Structure formats: structure tokens, C-alpha cells
Amino acid sequence: MDFNDIIGHNRAIDALKTSIQNDSISHSYLFQGEEGIGKKMVAYAFSKTLLCKEQGQEPCNICSSCKKFDSGNHPDFFFIQPERGQIRVDEIDGLIEEIATFPFESKRKIFVIDDSHLMNLTSKNKLLKTLEEPPKYVNIILISSNPDSLLPTITSRVQRLKFHPADIHRVSELLVDRYDISQDKADFIGGFTNGSIGKAVKLSMDDGFDSRRDELMKIIESLVSGDRTKAFSAMDFFNKNKENIDEILDLMLYWFRDIVIYKEMGESSLIVNRDKLENLSIQSHMEFRKINDIIEKIDETRFNIKRNINYQLSIETMLLNI
Ligand SMILES: [Zn+2]
């Protein structure tokens, strides 16, 4: 892979390429931006470029370094990521030890720390020492969707690059071209994931997503049409899909938000569920106040579940309010 495989992020990529050209590559970077928008892809492409024997602004894809990088066996490339929600301190110890020795294959050693905000304070402080004066052959790339939880002393020592979600149309284009997804579905997923390529690709590959969405739509339909008994039988669906609750609540939010847009503007391009305009139209008899109540309830439910308040009770309360 290289920069050509990345959709969007032209500004960040140009900045990195320019720094290669001007020989002003920073010893450490912070790639910050929402989850799943491609920060890691750019970090990989940039690392591969820096390690490449040709020393150009793109990896040559031919040299032994590029070949080793692609096979995942580059001796000078280190990728650290959290395990069970935390980056282990011994991973950072390992990094510090590794930094002390010269590169093996290339002219540099590159360390990427994904979700770097998940280091504990000990790790952050250890890393800080390293960032103060790393050897010339070392480059460190921190990736984070939550840079505010890194120490200010860390963020002030690194060059920050901000990443933004890609244009939604480009995401759906990519899904159609490369993942063989129908245009309707690609448009929906593009809008639903709000330009987050990582999430969009993951959903496109997820076999269960369509059926979860269909089942949820049926539940909402019966609730909105006044079938109260459905609230209790729907509980099976929510229990079965406890792991996907965030996605399901998002689907619900987008659905009711779309009803609001439909009521106000008709078939607007702002509607995410454009493949289900007919259902939106049927349910648009709901009053604005009612829809807003539901949207508030969905947010509240998400908040309660995050705080470990009884799952069953939170969901039932929400469903009874629809
Ligand atoms: Zn190369």
C-alpha cells in the first residue's frame, strides 16, 4: 500500500510529502482526528515512505525495505496498540529500549502508537522523556482520537496534523468501486458513517448489518403505528444485539432525525435513509415535539448504558416512549 490507496486527507499527505522534500521531517508527530477516518493508513504509508531505500516522496514498492514493510516484517517498524483498553507500560519500555539501538534495514526506526491517549500516566511520562531528545534516526507517530487526554507536555513536543472525515460522496463511490456494494446501500453507509472510511468499510463487510437494520426498522414501524405490545417483544432484538447497541442507537437517531428533515423539506439530499423514503413519508405524521422527545430519549439511553445503568430497563423505557 501507499498514499495512492488513501481517499482524502490530501492536505495532511501534502504536508508530509513536503517535509520529506524539504528535509524537515519532524522527529515526532501527532495524527489527530475522529475514530476510523484513515489516520492509521496515512501513518503506514508515511512510515513505509520514510523507510524506503529510494528516499523519495512515495515508497518505491520494489526495494527490500518496501517488500518487508508490506509483508509486515520490517525490523525497523514498530506498531504499538492498546490491549483491553490500555497501552501496556512494558510496550513503552520496549520502545525505549528499541530506540537506543541503530536501525537494521533502513536509515530510520519508526514507532507508531495507535490510540496513544490510552497510555497510563507512567507510560506518558516515560514517553515524554523520549520525546525530549530522540536519536536522529527515530521517528515517532502518535495517533489519537482524543488528543486532549495526552499530556500538554507531550502534545507541545510533537508536530500535530489534523485529520478530517472524507467527503461522503467519495466514501460511497469507494464502496461501490472497490467493495462491490450497491449504490443505495453505499449512499446510506456513507451518510450513516459521516465520511469515516474505516467505519464505512467495516459496515459494508459486516454480514449482519442489513438484517439488524431491517429488523430495527420493523420494530420502529410497529411502535410508531401504536403497537405497544411490540415494545416488549422487541426486547429480544435488543438483548441479542447488546454488543451492537451503539450502532443500533445511531440507526435510531438517524431515522428520527430523517423524519424531521422529511417533514421540513421533503425528499432532501440531507436525508441519510434515502433508500427508505416511503417509510419516512408514512411515519412523518408524527408531531415534531414527539420526535424530539424520542431523540432525547435515545441520547439518554446511550448515556445510561455507558454508565452501566440496567440495560433492559433503559431500553424498555426508551421503547415505551416511542
Ligand atoms: Zn522502496
Side-chain angles (χ1 to χ4, degrees), residues 238 245 249 252 294-311 313-319:
F238 281 89
I245 190 64
L249 294 176
M252 293 180 74
I294 294 175
I295 290 176
E296 255 171 48
K297 267 277 170 297
I298 298 171
D299 281 332
E300 206 178 299
T301 306
R302 192 196 305 273
F303 181 73
N304 286 340
I305 291 174
K306 283 225 168 80
R307 285 173 58 224
N308 282 321
I309 290 178
N310 188 301
Y311 180 82
L313 188 69
S314 307
I315 302 283
E316 270 175 11
T317 315
M318 173 181 75
L319 294 177

Side-chain angles (χ1 to χ4, degrees), residues 8-192:
H9 304 310
N10 298 346
R11 204 190 289 177
I13 293 172
D14 285 347
L16 294 170
K17 284 185 177 174
T18 310
S19 74
I20 298 175
Q21 193 180 19
N22 299 342
D23 202 17
S24 59
I25 301 157
S26 178
H27 64 69
S28 18
Y29 291 90
L30 168 59
F31 288 5
Q32 65 181 75
E34 273 172 50
E35 200 71 51
I37 58 174
K39 303 182 294 296
K40 200 159 78 183
M41 285 278 277
V42 176
Y44 267 92
F46 184 49
S47 303
K48 186 176 172 187
T49 310
L50 293 181
L51 293 168
C52 172
K53 308 240 162 173
E54 294 297 324
Q55 306 271 297
Q57 290 180 58
E58 301 262 1
C60 75
N61 288 321
I62 302 168
C63 74
S64 60
S65 170
C66 285
K67 290 245 160 72
K68 281 182 185 167
F69 192 93
D70 284 338
S71 70
N73 289 314
H74 201 296
D76 302 320
F77 180 70
F78 303 85
F79 185 78
I80 296 170
Q81 58 189 335
E83 272 172 43
R84 279 177 245 108
Q86 197 174 61
I87 290 172
R88 296 203 327 257
V89 180
D90 62 326
E91 293 267 22
I92 302 299
D93 288 337
L95 176 152
I96 291 166
E97 219 168 278
E98 211 32 83
I99 274 176
T101 60
F102 285 109
F104 188 76
E105 168 87 26
S106 301
K107 290 191 168 162
R108 298 171 180 277
K109 269 189 169 180
I110 300 184
F111 300 83
V112 176
I113 308 181
D114 197 13
D115 289 324
S116 54
H117 51 277
L118 296 176
M119 287 184 285
N120 67 14
L121 194 60
T122 311
S123 296
K124 284 175 188 164
N125 278 314
K126 284 183 173 185
L127 183 71
L128 180 61
K129 284 226 174 71
T130 306
L131 290 176
E132 276 166 3
E133 221 176 323
K136 280 217 162 21
Y137 51 80
V138 165
N139 297 96
I140 298 172
I141 303 173
L142 307 177
I143 298 178
S144 182
S145 57
N146 186 8
D148 291 342
S149 26
L150 286 163
L151 298 173
T153 37
I154 288 186
T155 49
S156 65
R157 280 184 172 76
V158 298
Q159 189 183 329
R160 295 170 86 148
L161 270 187
K162 287 188 181 153
F163 287 71
H164 303 282
D167 177 52
I168 289 167
H169 298 292
R170 293 198 63 191
V171 175
S172 64
E173 227 174 76
L174 169 96
L175 296 181
V176 172
D177 290 351
R178 292 204 202 157
Y179 295 91
D180 209 20
I181 304 288
S182 73
Q183 188 69 54
D184 271 0
K185 187 176 172 183
D187 287 343
F188 170 72
I189 290 183
F192 180 61

Side-chain angles (χ1 to χ4, degrees), residues 226-238:
D227 183 358
R228 316 305 298 161
T229 56
K230 194 73 190 170
F232 292 100
S233 58
M235 210 47 229
D236 286 345
F237 169 79
F238 281 89

